[in-house]
Amino acid sequence: MKKDFLWLISVLLFWGMLATSCSSSDDGNSPLPEPEPEPKTELPPARVTETVRYEKEKTTAYNIEYPSTDPLGNPVVLSGTITVGDEVDKDHPGRGLLLYNHFTVYRANQCPSKGNLDVEKFMTGSGLITISADYYGFGITEDRQQAYCISRANAQASVDALLAAKQLLKELGYSWNDDILFNVGYSQGGQTAMGVVRLIDEKYPDLHITYTFAGGGSYDIPETYRQFIRSGQTGMPSTVISVLLAYNEYAELGIPRSEIFKEPVLSHIDEWILSKRYTRSQIDDMVGTQTIADFATPTMLDLDSDLSQRYMQALEHDNLCKGWTPRKDNHIMLVHHEKDITVPVENTRNLYKFLKDAGVEDVELHDSNYFWLFTQPAHESGAIVMATYAVEKVTKILGIKTWFNIDDLAKILF
């Protein structure tokens, strides 16, 4: 029995040594197998999915889908719209392009590709071709949570829409002055417009923006957080809730909602915010308060808490007032109402200082306490101020007369 056991051990050792010698290289170092390359996701090329005619406004809209990335950097197809007024056709080139970055929306049908084109139709008569991205979470991706106030994601959606539109417009037979590109946005759109400036300055040396008009945006979003906690008030509670939801999702913080929100908001987030059934004003009415402590937990309101610090780190990653090098030949107009309680004016003042310190010479700052007969809240009033200044600048650059009257502008904005 003992001999049989020793014989078995010898056989096992022999085969073990043989297997080792057969799998080894000549020098005794066996290289690790090459890992299998991850399959690349092949996205379809940009395409026009629908042509919509607006006879009353003398405008044609081309809904498009195009390759881009989601807020985590993964390949995804997004949607948007190109709008062309009747003054531009295949025999009459456009005066240039206007990249319009839309403001805060919540209901699914409020994005450009679903027909929310008031600003785009307003541009009819200017000779500019307008390009608008839906952003991630609307249009073709409306079943996903929107990347609210994540300017890196929304800027990428806008720039990719611009690149796709330039290709598709040529295929449609249009031409335009490629030396003119206006970049416009207010509120969330203002933040996105400045995100577009950062993205182009960092990654697209062949693109040049003629002029950027940005108003009322959360450029220094960590400072926005601090100002809200210090004041305890917000003009639009839906936007505060949406920022906290978006950064928790796309910065992958993994914080339970119960640690962020109080009732009754906590139990109604999916219905009120994420369902995309309601407008911003409807959501604000359902929240029913402008006092942040009524819907955010005490831990969220403590700037020294671990929870707040995690949020602050995520927000700093998207801070437009630091961490990038603007081109010195940028041309930028910033507008902000100093009494704005929806987006604190410190955002624009901090951005202005950052741009000037970086050597950008042509930066205009309009941050006064504007008074308008329309008796709108400060945040909304800033929109008409920016539109008025922007139109004056655009007409001067293009060498044209104003193509609208002020009553038409007021109807669009309010």
Side-chain angles (χ1 to χ4, degrees):
M1 185 73 180
K2 185 175 180 181
K3 289 182 179 179
D4 291 342
F5 178 75
L6 291 174
W7 176 82
L8 178 61
I9 293 296
S10 300
V11 170
L12 291 173
L13 287 172
F14 171 78
W15 283 108
M17 292 171 63
L18 182 62
T20 301
S21 64
C22 289
S23 64
S24 300
S25 59
D26 291 342
D27 60 2
N29 295 316
S30 176
L32 294 174
E34 289 292 328
E36 289 290 330
E38 294 186 8
K40 292 184 178 180
T41 302
E42 293 292 338
L43 296 178
R47 67 190 183 104
V48 174
T49 58
E50 184 181 18
T51 301
V52 184
R53 176 65 184 169
Y54 296 95
E55 197 61 48
K56 180 181 177 182
E57 293 86 356
K58 298 180 180 180
T59 301
T60 300
Y62 300 96
N63 288 334
I64 65 172
E65 293 178 0
Y66 59 93
S68 187
T69 55
D70 69 13
L72 298 176
N74 302 310
V76 70
V77 174
L78 298 181
S79 54
T81 302
I82 305 167
T83 49
V84 184
D86 283 358
E87 73 277 8
V88 179
D89 58 32
K90 295 173 183 179
D91 297 319
H92 298 87
R95 290 192 173 100
L97 302 178
L98 185 144
L99 183 62
Y100 174 66
N101 306 282
H102 71 71
F103 49 74
T104 297
V105 297
Y106 287 105
R107 200 165 62 192
N109 67 354
Q110 289 183 300
C111 68
S113 71
K114 293 298 178 71
N116 187 8
L117 297 169
D118 286 345
V119 173
E120 291 86 343
K121 293 174 185 176
F122 169 75
M123 295 308 299
T124 297
S126 68
L128 295 169
I129 299 170
T130 305
I131 300 146
S132 307
D134 289 334
Y135 305 159
Y136 186 83
F138 286 97
I140 194 175
T141 58
E142 72 175 45
D143 61 329
R144 327 280 173 81
Q145 181 177 326
Q146 69 162 308
Y148 186 70
C149 277
I150 300 181
S151 67
R152 291 185 185 276
N154 296 327
Q156 189 68 65
S158 281
V159 171
D160 287 339
L162 170 65
L163 297 173
K166 293 176 77 169
Q167 169 200 326
L168 293 172
L169 283 165
K170 290 177 182 177
E171 294 175 6
L172 291 166
Y174 290 103
S175 61
W176 62 93
N177 181 356
D178 207 28
D179 292 329
I180 296 293
L181 171 60
F182 295 111
N183 174 38
V184 182
Y186 190 82
S187 194
Q188 185 195 12
Q191 186 209 42
T192 303
M194 285 308 306
V196 166
V197 174
R198 176 177 59 187
L199 181 61
I200 286 177
D201 287 2
E202 289 179 338
K203 296 183 179 179
Y204 297 89
D206 294 334
L207 288 178
H208 182 79
I209 300 170
T210 306
Y211 224 101
T212 291
F213 305 95
S218 294
Y219 317 113
D220 189 341
I221 198 161
E223 182 61 21
T224 303
Y225 186 10
R226 287 188 287 266
Q227 290 293 329
F228 280 151
I229 290 177
R230 288 166 186 160
S231 70
Q233 299 293 313
T234 173
M236 296 179 186
S238 58
T239 62
V240 177
I241 295 167
S242 296
V243 167
L244 296 176
L245 287 171
Y247 278 86
N248 191 35
E249 176 74 12
Y250 295 118
E252 299 182 295
L253 299 180
I255 301 170
R257 290 180 187 173
S258 59
E259 295 183 21
I260 306 170
F261 302 108
K262 295 166 61 174
E263 297 290 1
V265 168
L266 176 62
S267 297
H268 292 86
I269 287 172
D270 289 332
E271 170 65 15
W272 293 352
I273 308 286
L274 303 182
S275 70
K276 298 193 175 78
R277 296 175 184 169
Y278 304 103
T279 66
R280 191 269 306 163
S281 59
Q282 288 173 326
I283 296 170
D284 287 341
D285 288 343
M286 289 186 287
V287 173
T289 179
Q290 293 187 338
T291 301
I292 298 175
D294 290 343
F295 59 82
T297 63
T299 308
M300 280 303 309
L301 300 179
D302 178 4
L303 282 172
D304 295 323
S305 72
D306 290 341
L307 188 64
S308 287
Q309 289 301 308
R310 290 179 65 189
Y311 261 104
M312 289 296 285
Q313 289 177 8
L315 297 173
E316 283 290 355
H317 178 67
D318 211 8
N319 189 348
L320 281 155
C321 297
K322 62 187 293 188
W324 60 290
T325 304
R327 296 179 190 172
K328 291 180 172 55
D329 62 348
N330 276 313
H331 303 279
I332 299 169
M333 178 185 290
L334 302 174
V335 176
H336 212 126
H337 197 298
E338 68 176 14
K339 301 297 184 183
D340 194 338
I341 64 169
T342 299
V343 181
V345 69
E346 285 80 6
N347 281 277
T348 296
R349 291 173 178 169
N350 291 352
L351 177 61
Y352 177 76
K353 182 179 185 304
F354 168 74
L355 294 171
K356 295 299 288 186
D357 288 347
V360 181
E361 295 181 2
D362 187 10
V363 186
E364 290 186 31
L365 173 63
H366 303 275
D367 61 347
S368 302
N369 186 359
Y370 308 107
F371 174 78
W372 286 92
L373 297 177
F374 302 100
T375 64
Q376 294 293 321
H379 188 67
E380 288 85 338
S381 295
I384 196 168
V385 175
M386 191 193 82
T388 303
Y389 284 137
V391 167
E392 181 182 3
K393 184 77 70 174
V394 167
T395 54
K396 184 177 180 180
I397 291 172
L398 295 180
I400 63 174
K401 294 181 179 180
T402 304
W403 63 92
F404 67 94
N405 63 60
I406 194 67
D407 292 333
D408 294 334
L409 180 61
K411 289 175 184 177
I412 289 172
L413 296 174
F414 304 134

